[in-house]
Amino acid sequence: MKFLSVSPEAGEWLKPSPLAGAVNQLTQAFSRAGTQILTISPFYPRLMGELENFRCVFKGIEKLRNMPFEVWTGTNPLYAYIRYDDYFNRPDIYGENKFPYGDNHLRFSYLASAALAYADAIHFDPTTFCGQDWAGALIAPIAKTTYSESFGKIPFFFTIHNITYDFHVKESEIERIGLPRVDFNMNGYEFWGKVSLLKAGVFYAKKVILPSPGYCDGIVNNHLGGGLSGFLVRNKEKLKGIQFGLNYPFWDFNLNTNLPIEVAKKQARDALASSLGVDFENRLVMYCALGPESGKTSETLATLLGDINKLNIFVVVKAPKNSPKWDYYTAVASQENSHMAVFDIPPNNNLSVRATLAGADILFAANPTEPSASMILKSLACGTVPLTGRDVGCSNLLSNYDADFSTANALLVNDSAAPDQMIRKLKNAEQLYCSNQDSWNYLVRNAYQFRYEWDRTISQFILTFGEE
């Protein structure tokens, strides 16, 4: 099998974004599985680190708008980069000051066309195209039109990492970005009189892959698709949720020391207390992350704080500094400093997240919206028991504690946004932790022993490709 993957973010960045990190993990897992894969993305000079590590290996003219392009490579042969500084050497990837670049449709249709031109020139003949998110969606229609002689019959698989992101284009731009005008209708890629690049990706795909079964189910049954819900439901046979994996060599905080997990947790707990300048005493330590994909977690926690503060629990909250959440929780913590601490979420500082998870006993995750629910997997990798709902993305992999320790690795409620359900479960956890530490350690061991590697993700990808 030979795959050509096109993504707006991927490769040898100094600090990969969440999307680039996920695409990189997919690329590397495909390679480990024996698949020949080439992932092509833009060359962003400001993100690539030492530019002397990269070199131009090809120059050509793409066919969509007859524009010149360069292909650059680094040290990893799995990646190639399309360089055109007018498009990709900008302060941000998609836009600035919360406004998208008005020419995003031109930028990323150019990426798709240049990627196809390069693959054609080097005789990289894929059995499958893979597009990542809306900015990778146009490879399918451009392959079927502009490059039909070489790639017109190659199936296209579309991976949507987060369905809330899309880009809309005026109807007048249809031909400039390689879309067949005949498909500009409600059942195709039309959206309220404009072109939806996300709809185009879904429309032309043989299969649409979403990063967890729960997220896929939510899109079909709970209207997570927003304005695209009807269209997505009509195409639900294309949709498939495949759980994205976790990079355990990083997130398993105990991997190098290989201590008994109870011992490693005790050390991590002491380190966390020291870094916060507090004494946890014998309290259950509960971590709550209030990042951009925390969903209703903040609202649920705020509702329950009065009840939680009556329990033997120390609450650790991470929130973006100078945000409403930060202001609220720091004000509360100033009055409850004996059993609550609030600190900032550093950008792209996974070491801080890992240290906090490792030092905590429970992750409080009330209705998070992260598509792959990776925070739940990270929690398990740190031996931290997640308290969340059966509606979370990876809940099909979790086993609820209900007086049976044999397989339980999580505390699950039916509706994690329901404060009454969450507080009941939390009270049960606190009672178990404080009265029977040996029993609690069963949950910790089960959580820590759980693994969902990226190689498992890729095995499902490959099976899905083989079905079509």
Side-chain angles (χ1 to χ4, degrees), residues 371-385:
S372 69
S374 73
M375 183 59 77
I376 306 297
L377 299 184
K378 293 167 187 174
S379 174
L380 296 168
C382 289
T384 301
V385 181

Side-chain angles (χ1 to χ4, degrees), residues 161-431:
H161 295 254
N162 193 324
I163 205 151
T164 61
Y165 299 118
D166 195 0
F167 188 77
H168 299 147
V169 184
K170 293 179 180 179
E171 178 187 354
S172 59
E173 299 289 274
I174 286 175
E175 283 76 18
R176 293 185 74 191
I177 58 176
L179 286 169
R181 181 168 284 274
V182 68
D183 297 322
F184 182 65
N185 55 63
M186 182 179 67
N187 295 319
Y189 54 77
E190 183 267 340
F191 183 78
W192 293 95
K194 291 187 175 182
V195 173
S196 162
L197 296 191
L198 191 69
K199 281 190 74 176
V202 174
F203 179 76
Y204 291 108
K206 297 284 286 184
K207 209 74 171 180
V208 179
I209 297 173
L210 297 141
S212 71
Y215 192 61
C216 183
D217 181 69
I219 284 170
V220 173
N221 298 315
N222 298 322
H223 305 292
L224 290 182
L228 297 182
S229 293
F231 172 77
L232 293 168
V233 170
R234 288 194 299 274
N235 286 274
K236 66 181 179 180
E237 296 304 317
K238 288 185 178 183
L239 307 183
K240 183 172 183 177
I242 295 178
Q243 181 62 51
F244 278 15
L246 195 68
N247 180 15
Y248 286 94
F250 177 84
W251 287 104
D252 182 354
F253 77 106
N254 189 37
L255 187 66
N256 293 328
T257 52
N258 199 29
L259 294 169
I261 187 58
E262 301 89 341
V263 176
K265 290 286 289 182
K266 174 66 167 61
Q267 292 182 359
R269 176 187 172 102
D270 291 344
L272 179 60
S274 177
S275 70
L276 296 176
V278 300
D279 185 355
F280 292 147
E281 299 176 341
N282 64 338
R283 297 176 185 272
L284 177 77
V285 178
M286 186 180 81
Y287 172 44
C288 183
L290 301 180
E293 294 180 324
S294 58
K296 298 179 181 178
T297 298
S298 178
E299 291 88 339
T300 305
L301 178 62
T303 302
L304 296 178
L305 271 179
D307 291 321
I308 292 173
N309 289 338
K310 297 173 185 177
L311 302 175
N312 199 30
I313 294 176
F314 194 102
V315 180
V316 177
V317 174
K318 269 193 173 182
K321 202 166 188 176
N322 299 321
S323 68
K325 294 175 184 177
W326 170 268
D327 295 339
Y328 172 76
Y329 285 103
T330 52
V332 174
S334 67
Q335 302 172 16
E336 306 287 351
N337 56 22
S338 64
H339 48 267
M340 186 175 180
V342 181
F343 59 111
D344 189 19
I345 299 179
N348 297 323
N349 192 338
N350 285 329
L351 284 171
S352 174
V353 175
R354 185 181 66 183
T356 309
L357 277 172
D361 301 302
I362 277 185
L363 172 71
F364 185 89
N367 203 239
T369 59
E370 185 194 9
S372 69
S374 73
M375 183 59 77
I376 306 297
L377 299 184
K378 293 167 187 174
S379 174
L380 296 168
C382 289
T384 301
V385 181
L387 167 59
T388 191
R390 290 184 172 86
D391 51 348
V392 76
C394 63
S395 63
N396 63 306
L397 304 174
L398 305 178
S399 178
N400 178 44
Y401 167 69
D402 190 12
D404 179 7
F405 299 102
S406 58
T407 61
N409 59 11
L411 302 165
L412 299 179
V413 298
N414 291 327
D415 181 2
S416 58
D420 59 324
Q421 295 183 32
M422 292 292 279
I423 194 62
R424 281 199 299 270
K425 205 70 171 180
L426 189 55
K427 287 178 178 178
N428 292 341
E430 181 245 13
Q431 184 179 17

